[in-house]
Amino acid sequence: MTLDREPAAPLTEPERQLFFIEELKRYITERQAQTGQPFRFCVETFGCQMNARDSEKLTGILLAAGMTPAEREADADLVLYNTCTVRDNADQRVYGRLGVLSHYKKQRPDMLIGLCGCMAQEPTAAEKIRTSYRFVDLLFGTHNVYALAEILCRRIRQGSGTVVSLLEQADRIVEELPARREYPFKSGLNIMYGCNNFCTYCIVPLVRGRERSRRAGEIVAEAERLVADGVVEIMLLGQNVNSYGKDLEGGVTFAALLRRLEQIPGLERIRFMTSHPKDLSQELIDVMASSKKICRHLHLPLQSGSTRILQRMNRHYTKEGYLELVDRLRAAVPDIALTTDIIVGFPGETEEDFQETLDVVRRVGYDSAFTFQYSIRSGTPAAGWEQVPHELVQDRFDRLLELVQSMAAKACSRDLGQVREALVESADEKREGYVTGRLGSNLMVHFPGDASRIGQIVPVRLTQSKGFYYMGEAAE
Ligand code: SAH
Ligand code: SF4
Ligand code: F3S
């Protein structure tokens, strides 16, 4: 069959994409009738919550086009990698997996392979894929995830080769297309896209573009739809949620948006990520303190404890400013759990700078911390600066990890013996007759219960601390 129709009348972008979803569906239906087999797909996600949410959108489009999820990549007719390029090891993971896919494709040449997301958006990686991974059929970036059906139609029409669809800039925000949530009871919700901060180590602004906030009314309407569909917990997503609204007319702030979301009946829990310390306002702290729904957890990336390094990173805060912010947060919200991201071995980092980082970690006593070795990203300013030798970086990294782990274990005994609410997310994988819930602090608790509790918020007494999770019992 052919797939050569184009929309006749001028359509809005969502309408246009719905047209291509229908086209694709015609093709899939016909093909399934010919082969007697379902057309199966796999979407693999690498990277952060943004990508996880984008993958739900990709999956929603493929399901709407009549495709069936595959259990394993080897069985899939279409494999889509939604990639991350924040550090070199993220790239390497994808190259390794592509190598495996190339073997499957030799056995089944009609398998379609797509690569999208942040790596595709990065020019050097995109070029490498086009020239050295020529079996990749679809290559598209972060700015046109919504156009998957159209891009697939083009590839099917074309019959061979790679369809490349990379937009240099995001010219618009396209929403209102199908999305399939991974969990029925919780969801990510994009409130903004892109980043304007240009931290000197970071590739994200280059692959995600400039900051674009969605209008508050649209966000609230989407949240209401999600709640009507059974969602009790929403995670608001943005690279720097604290600067939400700065690009909108009328100057709505993130705190004001939270106040509106708080009013939605049936929405039980609100989370958000990520918060940049430089933009965290007193207004936001006040909203958190008075809220019944905002979880008592804040991810507040430190990156470095040295003011000198923070300046070179272009972070716009000092060690003292960060610590003062933590004090204000704890004064207003005493039970708040704090987590962070830290980079070790940023160009120019000395042992003294590193000691400052350890000092902040000790003083704050994070509930947990993601620690990273600095990774050179081409196109960023720090890539050209003199690098710290690898042995030094490794040694500092090991010392930091040890400290972080001991602090986290301490933090995880703070609520011992208390009753805390947990949203039950799944049956416990390891213990028969147990379920696993997420606490407001973002830690997990395992307790006796059956699968009928999944999606419910249950008060749980925390009876045992296991270092980075709890054991407990339902406390109704
Ligand atoms: N927008 C978020 C971070 C997104 S990237 C924020 O500003 O907090 C997630 C984390 O990856 C960052 O917080 C940083 O710690 C780490 N990271 C980013 N670029 C890196 C690089 N080049 N090398 C090592 N870690 C990096
Ligand atoms: Fe990267 Fe900095 Fe933007 Fe976060 S705030 S995405 S670390 S540039
Ligand atoms: Fe990675 Fe892109 Fe997120 S680079 S961390 S998937 S924004």
Side-chain angles (χ1 to χ4, degrees):
M1 74 166 282
T2 54
L3 259 181
D4 49 10
R5 294 203 302 190
E6 286 285 333
L11 299 177
T12 64
E13 194 56 40
E15 286 167 352
R16 195 180 142 78
Q17 294 308 322
L18 290 171
F19 170 89
F20 283 109
I21 291 174
E22 283 310 310
E23 281 294 281
L24 196 56
K25 194 170 178 179
R26 278 200 306 128
Y27 170 82
I28 298 293
T29 312
E30 198 164 307
R31 184 169 146 162
Q32 290 183 157
Q34 277 165 8
T35 62
Q37 297 285 332
F39 188 100
R40 285 175 296 190
F41 74 93
C42 253
V43 176
E44 282 287 328
T45 312
F46 303 81
C48 66
Q49 306 270 357
M50 299 277 173
N51 261 19
R53 182 65 186 149
D54 283 347
S55 287
E56 293 186 344
K57 296 177 182 176
L58 294 164
T59 302
I61 290 171
L62 298 178
L63 288 172
M67 299 183 191
T68 308
E71 292 275 318
R72 303 179 311 151
E73 274 177 12
D75 303 327
D77 301 290
L78 165 67
V79 178
L80 205 51
Y81 281 179
N82 189 12
T83 60
C84 171
T85 188
V86 74
R87 286 170 292 275
D88 184 57
N89 54 13
D91 286 5
Q92 296 314 322
R93 210 167 300 143
V94 169
Y95 289 129
R97 294 280 293 273
L98 280 175
V100 176
L101 279 190
S102 78
H103 289 292
Y104 297 152
K105 186 146 179 168
K106 281 202 187 96
Q107 285 152 16
R108 289 197 297 120
D110 60 351
M111 178 182 207
L112 289 173
I113 296 173
L115 193 143
C116 64
C118 295
M119 229 175 122
Q121 196 70 44
E122 200 281 301
T124 4
E127 186 55 25
K128 178 164 168 178
I129 290 155
R130 284 164 85 153
T131 51
S132 308
Y133 295 81
R134 302 182 70 150
F135 56 90
V136 170
D137 303 284
L138 317 165
L139 186 65
F140 58 105
T142 52
H143 301 320
N144 53 349
V145 161
Y146 62 83
L148 170 62
E150 179 176 0
I151 295 166
L152 254 175
C153 281
R154 267 168 61 197
R155 174 58 182 76
I156 292 165
R157 212 187 286 171
Q158 186 175 306
S160 65
T162 309
V163 167
V164 180
S165 183
L166 296 170
L167 307 181
E168 260 186 39
Q169 278 182 357
D171 44 356
R172 57 190 135 205
I173 295 179
V174 180
E175 297 285 347
E176 316 296 311
L177 286 168
R180 170 57 65 100
R181 293 196 306 278
E182 199 179 335
Y183 300 93
F185 49 84
K186 67 170 188 175
S187 180
L189 202 176
N190 299 106
I191 64 167
M192 60 199 301
Y193 298 92
C195 182
N196 284 354
N197 289 309
F198 294 95
C199 302
T200 51
Y201 50 82
C202 186
I203 190 102
V204 171
L206 307 184
V207 294
R208 289 272 172 180
R210 292 300 67 70
E211 235 165 67
R212 286 148 281 143
S213 300
R214 287 178 72 192
R215 277 197 290 277
E218 274 174 36
I219 295 168
V220 172
E222 183 171 342
E224 284 169 344
R225 275 198 302 279
L226 288 167
V227 170
D229 197 33
V231 165
V232 294
E233 177 179 307
I234 282 178
M235 164 85 90
L236 306 173
L237 299 173
Q239 293 299 347
N240 176 10
V241 290
N242 298 331
S243 68
Y244 169 79
K246 289 192 176 157
D247 55 332
L248 292 178
E249 277 170 42
V252 49
T253 62
F254 180 54
L257 176 69
L258 282 171
R259 266 193 240 106
R260 284 182 67 177
L261 291 167
E262 174 102 14
Q263 305 301 318
I264 298 176
L267 177 58
E268 307 279 349
R269 276 181 166 186
I270 303 170
R271 297 181 185 277
F272 49 85
M273 102 179 293
T274 302
S275 290
H276 194 305
K278 81 176 163 74
D279 296 317
L280 203 147
S281 64
Q282 187 59 41
E283 187 194 9
L284 176 63
I285 297 178
D286 296 341
V287 169
M288 286 188 84
S290 63
S291 168
K292 300 259 177 312
K293 298 185 174 176
I294 300 172
C295 289
R296 279 13 201 169
H297 168 225
L298 191 71
H299 187 67
L300 194 63
L302 170 68
Q303 311 303 1
S304 169
S306 153
T307 297
R308 196 180 70 86
I309 293 295
L310 286 169
Q311 201 167 16
R312 285 167 62 89
M313 286 176 161
N314 195 30
R315 292 289 289 179
H316 296 283
Y317 53 87
T318 60
K319 177 187 183 185
E320 292 69 30
Y322 185 96
L323 287 169
E324 187 262 335
L325 180 59
V326 168
D327 285 345
R328 272 196 288 137
L329 272 162
R330 289 220 161 115
V333 192
D335 54 346
I336 197 163
L338 292 174
T339 58
T340 201
D341 293 346
I342 298 170
I343 298 175
V344 172
F346 182 80
E349 185 190 72
T350 63
E351 178 61 27
E352 290 70 50
D353 294 314
F354 176 65
Q355 288 298 333
E356 303 270 19
T357 299
L358 295 180
D359 185 45
V360 175
V361 171
R362 275 191 216 103
R363 291 212 216 171
V364 176
Y366 292 105
D367 290 70
S368 78
F370 295 103
T371 51
F372 307 108
Q373 299 190 12
Y374 169 73
S375 169
I376 298 178
R377 306 322 285 140
S378 70
T380 63
W385 300 347
E386 197 183 325
Q387 303 294 316
V388 179
H390 177 71
E391 313 79 64
L392 281 183
V393 179
Q394 184 69 50
D395 175 62
R396 287 176 197 167
F397 181 81
D398 293 343
R399 284 187 281 154
L400 175 63
L401 194 63
E402 208 185 301
L403 176 63
V404 159
Q405 283 173 346
S406 75
M407 308 268 357
K410 227 181 275 171
C412 186
S413 52
R414 199 174 44 200
D415 289 344
L416 200 60
Q418 304 294 314
V419 174
R420 292 279 182 269
E421 287 190 335
L423 170 57
V424 182
E425 294 196 343
S426 60
D428 189 342
E429 280 168 16
K430 293 202 200 101
R431 301 168 194 84
E432 185 85 25
Y434 280 65
V435 289
T436 300
R438 189 179 295 273
L439 300 164
S441 67
N442 215 31
L443 286 179
M444 307 305 283
V445 57
H446 307 283
F447 63 99
D450 66 84
S452 65
R453 310 221 77 163
I454 293 173
Q456 295 175 9
I457 293 180
V458 179
V460 181
R461 183 173 302 282
L462 309 174
T463 53
Q464 212 185 344
S465 160
K466 294 281 197 181
F468 54 98
Y469 65 89
Y470 286 104
M471 300 302 295
E473 52 202 34
E476 276 112 325

